[in-house]
């Protein structure tokens, strides 16, 4: 029983780190929101500090999730997921998976005109990314390529390659993404079609 309890506690730190990274938050910003010192947050995420309610409650409020999600408590075999949407750089992101780690699924909503006049700012990070456009037209800058994904089109790429997403026109865009650690690749391959002209 003690081993099980220790395993649950050991998993909290990595889960908190992954959740913070998914939200695009820094330790500094999280510290300001929760009132928890940066050093404590860092030690908590690295597993050097055991999580107590005095730390988990403000973190759950900041992330707008139940405490049991932070500690990975069983969901009583209920397979339903109750997404907690959040906004990142004007884009609404809806998590579609319950637990951090492994493959993560999201729905992204870019409102009309969000990236009008905005220069692409490609970034790279660890992992592998799969995209599927539900509605609208998505502009994707991937390395030195700049192309458009229309409704129903799919792309997959290594996120070490600098990438950026934006509206291809004045309309909103909705797309699904699956993001996973390097090596956990989705088996639907991207097709870059240079014969598919785009207006940009």
């Amino acid at each position: 029983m003690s081993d099980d309890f220790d395993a649950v506690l050991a998993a909290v730190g990595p889960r908190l780190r992954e959740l913070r990274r998914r939200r695009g938050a820094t330790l500094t910003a999280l510290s300001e929101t929760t009132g928890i010192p940066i050093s404590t947050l860092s030690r908590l995420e690295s597993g050097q500090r055991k999580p107590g309610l005095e730390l988990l409650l403000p973190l759950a409020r900041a992330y707008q999730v139940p405490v049991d999600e932070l500690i990975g408590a069983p969901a009583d075999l209920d397979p339903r997921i109750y997404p907690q949407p959040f906004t990142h750089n004007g884009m609404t992101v809806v998590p579609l998976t319950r637990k951090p780690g492994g493959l993560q699924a999201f729905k992204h909503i870019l409102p009309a005109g969000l990236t009008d006049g905005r220069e692409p700012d490609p970034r790279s990070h660890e992992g592998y990314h799969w995209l599927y456009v539900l509605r609208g037209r998505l502009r994707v800058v991937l390395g030195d390529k700049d192309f458009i994904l229309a409704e129903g089109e799919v792309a997959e790429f290594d996120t070490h390659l600098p990438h950026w997403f934006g509206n291809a026109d004045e309309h909103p865009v909705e797309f699904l993404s699956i993001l996973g650690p390097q090596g956990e690749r989705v088996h639907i391959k991207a097709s870059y079609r240079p014969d598919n002209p785009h207006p940009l």
Side-chain angles (χ1 to χ4, degrees), residues 1-186:
M1 186 69 168
S2 176
D3 288 345
D4 291 343
F5 184 70
D6 288 343
V8 168
L9 289 182
V12 172
R15 186 175 292 112
L16 290 172
R17 182 186 297 112
E18 179 66 22
L19 184 57
R20 177 175 59 80
R21 288 178 177 171
R22 274 171 41 194
R23 300 294 176 94
T26 63
L27 284 173
T28 302
L30 188 59
S31 175
E32 291 172 357
T33 302
T34 61
I36 301 171
I38 295 174
S39 59
T40 301
L41 290 171
S42 179
R43 291 173 59 227
L44 187 60
E45 289 187 358
S46 66
Q48 298 173 15
R49 171 77 182 259
K50 287 191 175 182
L53 280 179
E54 76 284 358
L55 299 175
L56 292 177
L57 286 174
L59 286 168
R61 280 195 296 270
Y63 290 129
Q64 297 183 326
V65 297
V67 171
D68 60 0
E69 184 171 326
L70 296 183
I71 60 175
D76 297 326
L77 301 180
D78 184 351
R80 292 172 295 181
I81 293 174
Y82 301 94
Q84 296 288 332
F86 61 94
T87 302
H88 180 66
N89 293 333
M91 172 173 58
T92 300
V93 182
V94 184
L96 300 177
T97 43
R98 194 192 311 268
K99 295 182 179 179
L103 294 173
Q104 298 293 313
F106 302 91
K107 179 179 179 181
H108 304 258
I109 304 167
L110 294 166
L114 176 64
T115 55
D116 285 356
R118 186 183 299 182
E119 282 298 312
D121 182 20
R123 303 290 178 90
S124 61
H125 54 84
E126 293 287 330
Y128 213 78
H129 211 145
W130 176 90
L131 304 174
Y132 176 80
V133 179
L134 295 167
R135 183 168 69 97
R137 301 169 73 239
L138 181 69
R139 180 184 177 191
V140 180
V141 175
L142 185 60
D144 59 358
K145 290 182 168 56
D146 188 338
F147 56 99
I148 304 288
L149 290 178
E151 290 183 14
E153 287 196 301
V154 178
E156 181 184 25
F157 56 90
D158 188 320
T159 55
H160 287 99
L161 191 62
H163 54 281
W164 177 90
F165 313 125
N167 306 70
D169 50 37
E170 70 275 13
H171 300 293
V173 187
E174 295 183 14
F175 63 99
L176 297 176
S177 73
I178 298 177
L179 183 63
Q182 185 64 19
E184 295 190 24
R185 301 185 176 188
V186 183

